[in-house]
Amino acid sequence: MSTAIAAPVDRLLYKPEEAAEALAIGRSTVYELMAEGTLKYIKLGRTRRIRRSDLEEYVANLAPMPN
């Protein structure tokens, strides 16, 4: 029996939980990054969404550890 793995959906907006999965970090870490302003987000009514471009910008600005 084989298990099919669904390809990730190429979204424009991510829920914080989806962003955490995409970044391979914890959900609470995403909320902390949003609260401190490190990770930009938008509010739609009572919900928060993170643009794909803001996720990409966040990752691009991460500083690599020196060797």
Side-chain angles (χ1 to χ4, degrees):
M1 178 185 277
S2 66
T3 304
I5 299 175
V9 177
D10 192 22
R11 300 176 185 267
L12 295 176
L13 295 174
Y14 290 83
K15 296 177 185 176
E17 295 80 8
E18 295 167 339
E21 185 176 334
L23 295 171
I25 61 176
R27 182 182 66 92
S28 60
T29 303
V30 169
Y31 281 104
E32 289 172 10
L33 292 170
M34 290 166 49
E36 65 190 25
T38 305
L39 182 58
K40 297 177 194 171
Y41 66 93
I42 59 172
K43 286 191 78 171
L44 296 171
R46 295 176 54 193
T47 64
R48 297 177 196 163
R49 295 293 184 262
I50 303 163
R51 293 184 194 108
R52 179 178 53 212
S53 60
D54 291 329
L55 287 175
E56 292 169 348
E57 180 182 335
Y58 168 73
V59 172
N61 289 328
L62 292 174
M65 297 298 295
N67 291 334

